[in-house]
Amino acid sequence: MEDSQEYKNKKAYFEKIITLYGRNVVIEILQDETITIHKLHMSNSNKPDGAVETILKLAKKRGIEVVYHDKNALSRISKNAKQDQGVAIDIIASSYQSANEIKNLKSFKLLALDGIQNPQNLGMIIRSCAAGYVDGIILPKKSSAKISPLVIKASAGTLFKLPIYYCNTLDEILKELHDAKIYLLSSHAKNSIYDLKKNEKSIFVLGNESEGVSKEIEKFCNDSISIPMNRGIESLNVAVTASLIAFMR
Amino acid sequence: MEDSQEYKNKKAYFEKIITLYGRNVVIEILQDETITIHKLHMSNSNKPDGAVETILKLAKKRGIEVVYHDKNALSRISKNAKQDQGVAIDIIASSYQSANEIKNLKSFKLLALDGIQNPQNLGMIIRSCAAGYVDGIILPKKSSAKISPLVIKASAGTLFKLPIYYCNTLDEILKELHDAKIYLLSSHAKNSIYDLKKNEKSIFVLGNESEGVSKEIEKFCNDSISIPMNRGIESLNVAVTASLIAFMR
């Protein structure tokens, strides 16, 4: 039987792996020295053209393990046979951790993202939160944009500097954080972001631009705050909202 | 001889006109009731297809004046023969005014944009500034993204809610504002955005993401402030920077 601690460590390691695909993407990833790479996957059927040669040269230079697969096996790895172009790469998202870890934290200021589908917004949110005064973001796998080169680009290299707490859906973690202030952004709230007191444990829930926070998640919010706005304007870009919260200290 | 005041009023009116072109763009503009329209320009050579019919129907519904031109004359109006598709529309940017007007203001907090070329960033900056605590932005025509449907979309309908002070180049106005604090954003600055005192007259200069503030404009800055950042991160998206300044009050 596998040693329990070793098994846990392995599981934690593999949960931090994100697989990206496509030739240009893989080249970009290999060129970015700030990204830790687990493995490069190549299809046997790749013809040794310019892009493939570049990929293999970059992988060799960085000492990355290359694994060859038949075409179908590669598709199972990339999960996108149509767009993988016979190459996929596993990167290690060192800052990724299970949202269950939040239960072990004594205090925190977190942003929970409910349905942020736009990769540029997600990247900007990560960048601002990493630079600002928050302890991490909660990213539900089911309703969020996938980590992709667009997200990495918009995050300007900050993707793995900020703790990212993943879960399948937000409710599964929110319902377990009984002693946290869970804030909904609302123009009707009594308190504004300028009145925020330092809570021991606070979570700010941000919904996507068109739908806002979903009904299912709204019911987990036990407080609300507003961002006071001028000139009759009612909303801000969600990445801007995240940034304002991140830099309120 | 033209009456001087009347002439000035006319000049001011025509300086607020922005011409956009292309069939989908014109349809979008005509459908947006928040945008004031001066005139619709059509080429004589347009075949009466679906898009042209939609445009004329929308213009009629809103009571917009339609002017017909030969193809070359229309190109001179759109200034883009390749992409105008035989249609152009003049919209009234009611919030536009000459940067010279700033000299008449007793106090102000303004953002000056030096080379913001990305339409999405420009739109987001306008949106955040309109909602936030600033009195307007200074937009030099020569180095900024043109007001386009992309900008209008990213501004989420706020484009004409915020005073926009136009000039040809930033230096021509900055050099005349002798009693204003003109801030450069700099990580080396002694004071941060959290220490900002209310100045009677303050301008924050923002450069574009790749180049920062240009050398020519930097020399007009007589003070600097920083945005303190964590985790070794050195910069934020320029629209986020603008938003943080806009909401510091």
Side-chain angles (χ1 to χ4, degrees):
Chain A
M1 217 183 109
E2 191 136 20
D3 176 271
S4 156
Q5 189 52 46
E6 193 189 324
Y7 174 75
K8 274 188 191 161
N9 292 348
K10 264 197 189 163
K11 187 162 173 284
Y13 182 80
F14 283 109
E15 279 184 336
K16 288 176 198 290
I17 289 179
I18 295 171
T19 303
L20 301 170
Y21 50 80
R23 294 181 178 189
N24 287 336
V25 167
V26 168
I27 289 172
E28 271 182 44
I29 297 289
L30 283 164
Q31 286 171 332
D32 187 340
E33 302 272 351
T34 67
I35 299 177
T36 308
I37 295 165
H38 175 61
K39 272 180 194 171
L40 173 64
H41 302 277
M42 306 285 288
S43 166
N44 289 324
S45 62
N46 286 333
K47 299 212 174 64
D49 65 359
V52 168
E53 271 178 29
T54 304
I55 289 170
L56 292 174
K57 220 159 83 181
L58 285 166
K60 193 176 172 187
K61 193 176 144 210
R62 287 188 62 175
I64 308 293
E65 183 183 352
V66 185
V67 193
Y68 288 86
H69 309 265
D70 67 42
K71 225 178 154 186
N72 289 333
L74 190 100
S75 306
R76 284 192 297 273
I77 291 169
S78 73
K79 298 197 182 82
N80 195 330
K82 272 191 193 158
Q83 289 176 21
D84 65 29
Q85 302 173 300
V87 296
I89 196 160
D90 297 327
I91 63 175
I92 314 274
S94 47
S95 59
Y96 260 49
Q97 46 209 297
S98 162
N100 286 319
E101 298 292 329
I102 298 170
K103 291 185 261 175
N104 302 326
L105 300 175
K106 287 229 171 60
S107 76
F108 51 76
K109 176 182 174 187
L110 299 169
L111 266 65
L113 307 187
D114 182 30
I116 306 297
Q117 288 287 347
N118 179 314
Q120 264 174 321
N121 281 339
L122 180 56
M124 278 172 65
I125 291 171
I126 292 168
R127 183 178 179 184
S128 290
C129 288
Y133 301 83
V134 288
D135 301 304
I137 62 176
I138 310 177
L139 191 67
K141 286 183 184 172
K142 279 210 174 145
S143 68
S144 307
K146 295 241 172 323
I147 299 297
S148 68
L150 272 174
V151 175
I152 296 175
K153 200 171 175 189
S155 86
T158 65
L159 178 57
F160 303 129
K161 295 194 173 178
L162 176 78
I164 294 180
Y165 295 99
Y166 61 80
C167 46
N168 279 310
T169 58
L170 265 188
D171 60 311
E172 70 185 35
I173 181 68
L174 293 184
K175 73 182 174 200
E176 299 208 30
L177 301 173
H178 307 288
D179 54 350
K181 279 266 192 196
I182 302 178
Y183 290 100
L184 184 72
L185 273 281
S186 161
S187 55
H188 308 299
K190 238 182 7 207
N191 292 314
S192 85
I193 52 165
Y194 298 105
D195 311 316
L196 272 181
K197 290 176 194 88
K198 290 208 173 156
N199 287 306
E200 291 286 283
K201 300 182 176 186
S202 54
I203 295 174
F204 299 84
V205 182
L206 299 182
N208 85 10
E209 297 231 31
S210 38
E211 315 281 334
V213 172
S214 59
K215 287 277 165 254
E216 307 91 74
I217 297 305
E218 199 179 318
K219 66 178 187 227
F220 292 102
C221 295
N222 52 33
D223 207 338
S224 63
I225 52 157
S226 69
I227 298 180
M229 293 181 218
N230 295 307
R231 302 186 178 92
I233 290 163
E234 289 173 356
S235 75
L236 294 167
N237 172 288
V238 66
V240 167
T241 302
S243 306
L244 293 179
I245 294 169
F247 278 88
M248 286 292 150
R249 54 172 204 183
Chain B
M1 216 185 112
E2 191 139 20
D3 177 89
S4 157
Q5 189 53 46
E6 193 189 326
Y7 174 74
K8 273 189 192 160
N9 291 348
K10 263 196 190 164
K11 188 164 173 280
Y13 183 80
F14 284 109
E15 280 185 333
K16 288 178 200 288
I17 288 179
I18 296 171
T19 303
L20 300 171
Y21 49 81
R23 295 181 177 189
N24 286 336
V25 167
V26 168
I27 290 173
E28 269 181 45
I29 298 290
L30 284 164
Q31 286 172 332
D32 187 341
E33 301 272 350
T34 68
I35 300 177
T36 308
I37 295 166
H38 175 61
K39 270 179 195 171
L40 172 65
H41 302 278
M42 306 286 287
S43 166
N44 290 325
S45 62
N46 286 333
K47 299 210 175 63
D49 64 0
V52 167
E53 272 178 29
T54 304
I55 289 169
L56 292 174
K57 219 160 82 183
L58 285 166
K60 194 176 172 188
K61 192 175 143 208
R62 288 188 60 176
I64 308 293
E65 182 183 353
V66 185
V67 194
Y68 288 85
H69 309 265
D70 68 41
K71 223 179 153 184
N72 288 333
L74 191 100
S75 306
R76 284 193 296 276
I77 291 168
S78 73
K79 298 196 181 85
N80 194 329
K82 275 191 189 155
Q83 291 176 19
D84 65 29
Q85 303 174 298
V87 297
I89 195 159
D90 297 328
I91 63 176
I92 315 272
S94 46
S95 60
Y96 261 49
Q97 46 209 298
S98 161
N100 286 320
E101 298 293 328
I102 298 170
K103 291 185 263 176
N104 302 327
L105 301 175
K106 287 229 171 61
S107 76
F108 51 76
K109 175 183 173 187
L110 298 169
L111 265 65
L113 306 188
D114 181 30
I116 306 295
Q117 288 287 347
N118 179 314
Q120 264 175 322
N121 281 339
L122 180 56
M124 278 172 65
I125 290 171
I126 291 167
R127 183 177 180 185
S128 290
C129 287
Y133 301 82
V134 289
D135 302 305
I137 62 176
I138 309 178
L139 191 67
K141 286 183 184 171
K142 279 210 176 145
S143 67
S144 307
K146 296 241 171 322
I147 298 296
S148 67
L150 272 175
V151 175
I152 295 175
K153 200 170 176 191
S155 86
T158 65
L159 178 57
F160 303 129
K161 296 194 171 179
L162 177 78
I164 294 179
Y165 295 99
Y166 61 80
C167 47
N168 278 310
T169 57
L170 264 188
D171 60 311
E172 72 185 35
I173 181 67
L174 292 185
K175 73 183 177 202
E176 299 209 31
L177 300 173
H178 306 289
D179 53 351
K181 279 266 191 196
I182 302 178
Y183 290 100
L184 184 72
L185 271 282
S186 160
S187 54
H188 307 298
K190 237 181 7 207
N191 291 315
S192 85
I193 53 165
Y194 298 105
D195 312 314
L196 273 180
K197 290 176 195 86
K198 288 205 175 158
N199 288 306
E200 290 288 283
K201 300 182 175 184
S202 54
I203 294 174
F204 298 85
V205 182
L206 299 181
N208 84 12
E209 296 231 31
S210 38
E211 315 281 333
V213 173
S214 60
K215 287 277 165 256
E216 308 88 76
I217 298 307
E218 197 178 320
K219 66 180 188 226
F220 292 102
C221 295
N222 53 30
D223 208 338
S224 62
I225 52 156
S226 69
I227 298 180
M229 293 181 217
N230 296 308
R231 303 186 178 92
I233 290 163
E234 290 173 356
S235 75
L236 294 167
N237 171 289
V238 66
V240 166
T241 302
S243 306
L244 293 179
I245 293 169
F247 278 89
M248 285 294 150
R249 54 173 204 183

